[in-house]
Amino acid sequence: MTTASIDPALSLLYYGTTASPSQAQQLSAGLLTVDFIDGGLRNICYAGHEVLRAIAYVVRDKDWGTYAPIISNLQLSQNAEQFSLSYDATCRDPDGQKLQYTIRIVGHQSGTLQFEANATAITDFLTCRNGFCVLHPIAGLAGAPVTITHTDDSIETSVFPALIAPWQPFKDIQAITHQVAAGLQATCQFEGDVFEMEDQRNWSDASYKTYVRPLARPWPYVIPEGETGAQSVWLQIESNVGQPCTPLPAAQKTVVTLRKTSTVLPKIGIAVTPEECASSLQNIEFLHAISPHIILCHFDPLVGHGTQALAGFAALAEHYRADYILECVLPGVSDPGIELAAIAAQIAASGFKPDGIAICPSIDRQSVPPGSVWPPCPTFQQIYRAARLTFPDRRLGGGMFSYFTELNRKRPPCAELDWVTHNTNPIVHAADDVSVMQTLETLPHITRSCRAMIGADKPYWVGPVTIGMRQNPYGSRTMPNPDGQRIPMASSDPRQQGLFGAAWLLGYAAQVADAGLEVLTLGALMGPLGLLGHNHDQEPASDHDHSSDNTLRRYPAFHIVAGLAKLAEATLIACDTTQPDKILAIAGVDRLGQTTLWIANLTASRQTYRINGAIPARRPVVRILDEKNPSEMVVVATAAEAISNAENVVFQGELNPYACVNYSWSPTLAKH
């Protein structure tokens, strides 16, 4: 598969790795267009309207990790009426397991698309999934009508879930029909196995996924050596359904419109593990530079954390003042009162005085898929009541230390908690650049669904937020990533170190800004999920960075977290963007009257933008973080231009790939 042509040094700046992203090849037949990338189809459109987000033949290992197939014998042809391609693929793991399959794809100007696969197990092959995944987009479809044809030919008329469904909304699927746009309808038909749908917004994927092999069947399972199987997906797009289909116009400059709200922006937290305590203490000046309000201290007795780990948190608290929250994993194997009493004794012996404690039983960090038996565990009520007795003078948080998926499937008694928490992760199912950025689209759906669950007034915490996965609820481990690749479920991700990670993190904060969060925890200071690293892990020192190769450097995301910390408890200025897949923004006005606006380019292309609305008439200070200035926010004079007219002041500018810009308007001086 071809990759985008990019200079290695520039790739390091953008992505934290010299591994270039795969390059999509657009294929077209009349008004039908698709992007062919990494063996699958993305961005399947008709007349510019997105019909499906993706179709792919997916093979997963025993831990739900996704194989990267070796593709060979690629054949491609296209003309004005039709495109067709075929290829062979091989999946092989270090233990010698091997599966081969052949793909054939044909698209026609009539609006038909066929995707066929024939697979053969060369050896016994242990897998959790082997077959098609089809992704419907969520924009415009959440809550919209859908028709399901089941394998017995019965018809179900329903809607795509508006709030995120904890379990499969549709099962035993033969075909799905939905309205794409006015005058445009699509039917997607499946053959070769039993398909069902899950609401992938649970995992922050921006899609409803229809996949092969029901989760109620045992997994992982073995495909015997020599066994073959054929599957196919057939898409039929019909235009002029009741009225003409209007092609979408080409996208223009993004307009960011600011409007006042009464929402308060969240406090910013930083996570720390016992393993990172010593290095965090050695580099305490960087913690002061960020100035987070919350230090989330991870504590897990099952991996050996004890009094010494708690003493490390106490030492950190002596050198940096903040609210310290103990994120406590409860073993959950005996009476919760006894387990919590033992932890309380360790806390007392360590000298650590947390301001609050969040508790989650260890077993609940692992996913319980539909159809599975929930493992034995003390109830939430038993755990939280024991915690109240053990820590009567501490705030108590609960929920899930894993993802919204687990919280949605096992909902806590919110009345017994002072706050509810969960995490998200963007590389559970896919780790390409587009998919990771598209997870930002899902965040408002997650926060709305969570608010519907916990109530409008319940304090709500999210995080730690990182691209790398700190724990895998769906398998025995996170995936190692020593070569800095784009790998689903990886324990670390190089893009956290680049401008990509900074733009993604700023986009994340923008997408949850109106959720009324009390705390948003944005990664760690040190370690594989940290905001700091050594120069040899990144690009050579720039004109603004004369440190040696062994000196710690601030990753671009460091400046985003520091900037968001300064916005904490400011009043949100909502930022409505006309192209949220390209540009996202967050703004606020603090108690002193200073207005701050951040804008992120979420794409690998240069983007232009225009800001209007509730903007101070004064000229702002403008700082930028981009490929020319990756290590610090640099004041610039030409990044934006003010245009005055009789009604308001408008600012416009351009951003390089994955760049972030900061506008700051000082308070108006009182006249005497």
Side-chain angles (χ1 to χ4, degrees):
M1 193 60 52
T2 60
T3 57
S5 177
I6 182 172
D7 180 82
L10 197 58
S11 181
L12 276 172
L13 287 171
Y14 290 154
Y15 307 112
T17 174
T18 56
S20 296
S22 296
Q23 182 180 28
Q25 181 174 2
Q26 188 174 84
L27 309 175
S28 61
L31 296 177
L32 174 66
T33 60
V34 302
D35 289 340
F36 177 60
I37 182 169
D38 293 334
L41 300 181
R42 295 189 63 110
N43 197 30
I44 300 156
C45 297
Y46 191 86
H49 298 275
E50 186 179 25
V51 179
L52 294 176
R53 182 135 288 182
I55 306 175
Y57 192 84
V58 177
V59 183
R60 302 201 190 276
D61 66 18
K62 63 182 178 64
D63 290 311
W64 291 98
T66 304
Y67 282 94
I70 299 172
I71 293 176
S72 61
N73 195 27
L74 177 64
Q75 305 291 324
L76 169 64
S77 65
Q78 67 173 324
N79 54 44
E81 297 181 353
Q82 178 176 293
F83 61 81
S84 64
L85 62 88
S86 62
Y87 65 85
D88 300 325
T90 302
C91 295
R92 189 196 307 267
D93 72 4
D95 297 327
Q97 289 194 136
K98 186 177 180 181
L99 180 92
Q100 292 180 337
Y101 58 90
T102 299
I103 295 294
R104 181 174 180 268
I105 301 171
V106 179
H108 194 269
Q109 66 176 2
S110 62
T112 61
L113 179 66
Q114 295 171 276
F115 200 141
E116 301 173 344
N118 289 274
T120 301
I122 306 304
T123 67
D124 285 353
F125 194 82
L126 183 65
T127 180
C128 282
R129 176 166 296 152
N130 175 43
F132 278 109
C133 290
V134 174
L135 307 184
H136 282 74
I138 60 176
L141 288 192
V146 63
T147 300
I148 305 296
T149 303
H150 297 287
T151 56
D152 62 0
D153 293 326
S154 63
I155 305 296
E156 177 184 357
T157 301
S158 186
V159 296
F160 288 100
L163 296 176
I164 300 175
W167 313 108
Q168 302 100 317
F170 306 112
K171 297 182 178 181
D172 187 30
I173 299 171
Q174 179 175 291
I176 302 172
T177 301
H178 78 283
Q179 196 79 9
V180 177
L184 197 63
Q185 178 177 283
T187 297
C188 190
Q189 186 167 325
F190 308 89
E191 296 179 356
D193 208 323
V194 179
F195 289 77
E196 62 188 20
M197 179 186 288
E198 66 187 11
D199 194 336
Q200 279 210 131
R201 295 176 298 171
N202 277 292
W203 296 272
S204 76
D205 296 78
S207 59
Y208 300 100
K209 180 172 74 178
T210 304
Y211 56 91
V212 76
R213 189 175 170 95
L215 289 176
R217 295 182 182 178
W219 54 268
Y221 63 99
V222 174
I223 303 174
E225 178 181 347
E227 183 171 297
T228 62
Q231 296 177 25
S232 64
V233 175
W234 180 78
L235 178 66
Q236 176 66 63
I237 304 167
E238 299 177 85
S239 59
N240 300 320
V241 182
Q243 56 183 307
C245 168
T246 304
L248 285 178
Q252 302 297 321
K253 178 186 301 182
T254 300
V255 177
V256 181
T257 302
L258 278 58
R259 55 183 174 83
K260 296 179 180 179
T261 77
S262 58
T263 301
V264 176
L265 288 166
K267 297 178 181 178
I268 298 300
I270 287 290
V272 62
T273 67
E275 294 78 13
E276 297 159 3
C277 252
S279 58
S280 297
L281 193 56
Q282 291 169 2
N283 297 283
I284 198 72
E285 69 273 16
F286 292 104
L287 197 60
H288 283 281
I290 296 174
S291 297
H293 312 83
I294 305 292
I295 304 297
L296 188 67
C297 304
H298 184 71
F299 182 78
D300 185 355
L302 293 178
V303 297
H305 296 166
T307 304
Q308 184 176 358
L310 294 162
F313 299 143
L316 193 62
E318 290 180 3
H319 292 83
Y320 180 78
R321 291 188 177 182
D323 286 344
Y324 281 75
I325 305 299
L326 189 67
E327 186 187 54
C328 181
V329 177
L330 191 71
V333 295
S334 62
D335 182 273
I338 296 174
E339 291 183 345
L340 287 167
I343 293 170
Q346 291 176 319
I347 293 172
S350 71
F352 182 46
K353 298 178 180 179
D355 299 280
I357 182 168
I359 297 174
C360 178
S362 180
I363 196 66
D364 283 342
R365 293 185 298 171
Q366 294 303 120
S367 177
V368 179
S372 301
V373 177
W374 213 282
C377 180
T379 66
F380 277 141
Q381 288 84 354
Q382 291 172 323
I383 292 169
Y384 297 150
R385 288 168 188 169
R388 288 290 186 192
L389 292 173
T390 307
F391 304 101
D393 56 346
R394 299 285 186 269
R395 289 189 73 197
L396 177 63
M400 291 293 172
F401 294 168
S402 51
Y403 309 129
F404 177 75
T405 318
E406 287 67 53
L407 183 73
N408 202 17
R409 291 177 174 175
K410 186 176 182 181
R411 304 182 177 189
C414 298
E416 299 187 24
L417 295 170
D418 295 315
W419 78 88
V420 175
T421 186
H422 69 79
N423 196 352
T424 68
N425 185 266
I427 58 170
V428 173
H429 293 114
D432 61 276
D433 297 338
V434 172
S435 294
V436 171
M437 282 299 183
Q438 284 179 339
T439 62
L440 301 177
E441 180 185 336
T442 312
L443 298 176
H445 296 256
I446 290 177
T447 56
R448 281 195 297 269
S449 297
C450 192
R451 277 293 178 204
M453 180 196 315
I454 71 176
D457 299 325
K458 177 64 63 176
Y460 179 16
W461 294 28
V462 170
V465 172
T466 57
I467 299 178
M469 180 181 270
R470 67 171 184 162
Q471 183 253 334
N472 182 4
Y474 316 109
S476 61
R477 62 187 179 118
T478 55
M479 303 301 153
N481 191 13
D483 298 325
Q485 301 295 314
R486 295 163 172 84
I487 300 175
M489 299 187 183
S491 55
S492 63
D493 191 290
R495 288 168 292 188
Q496 292 177 175
Q497 304 172 14
L499 290 163
F500 181 102
W504 179 82
L505 204 60
L506 185 56
Y508 196 108
Q511 288 291 76
V512 301
D514 66 351
L517 299 184
E518 182 174 89
V519 175
L520 175 61
T521 300
L522 298 173
L525 184 68
M526 309 298 298
L529 304 178
L531 299 170
L532 298 171
H534 292 281
N535 279 339
H536 59 75
D537 295 328
Q538 277 282 293
E539 79 284 4
S542 70
D543 291 340
H544 303 284
D545 183 1
H546 303 287
S547 53
S548 68
D549 286 345
N550 293 322
T551 301
L552 279 176
R553 59 174 289 121
R554 298 172 173 90
Y555 294 143
F558 180 100
H559 304 285
I560 303 304
V561 178
L564 292 171
K566 292 179 181 177
L567 267 178
E569 299 185 288
T571 301
L572 170 70
I573 299 175
C575 301
D576 302 319
T577 66
T578 56
Q579 297 187 91
D581 59 329
K582 294 181 172 64
I583 294 281
L584 284 174
I586 182 172
V589 55
D590 66 20
R591 295 171 183 173
L592 298 177
Q594 176 164 309
T595 301
T596 302
L597 167 66
W598 285 88
I599 302 176
N601 178 0
L602 308 179
T603 76
S605 303
R606 189 171 177 83
Q607 298 293 328
T608 59
Y609 61 90
R610 176 186 175 103
I611 312 164
N612 58 27
I615 306 172
R618 308 177 298 282
R619 179 171 292 277
V621 175
V622 183
R623 297 176 175 86
I624 199 159
L625 187 71
D626 64 7
E627 62 204 46
K628 298 177 182 177
N629 311 289
S631 300
E632 59 182 297
M633 298 295 298
V634 175
V635 177
V636 293
T638 59
E641 178 185 355
I643 304 172
S644 299
N645 57 41
E647 297 179 357
N648 59 13
V649 177
V650 174
F651 290 88
Q652 63 182 16
E654 296 183 353
L655 285 175
N656 288 335
Y658 305 118
C660 298
V661 65
N662 169 256
Y663 292 81
S664 179
W665 289 269
S666 299
T668 302
L669 296 177
K671 296 182 179 180
H672 298 284

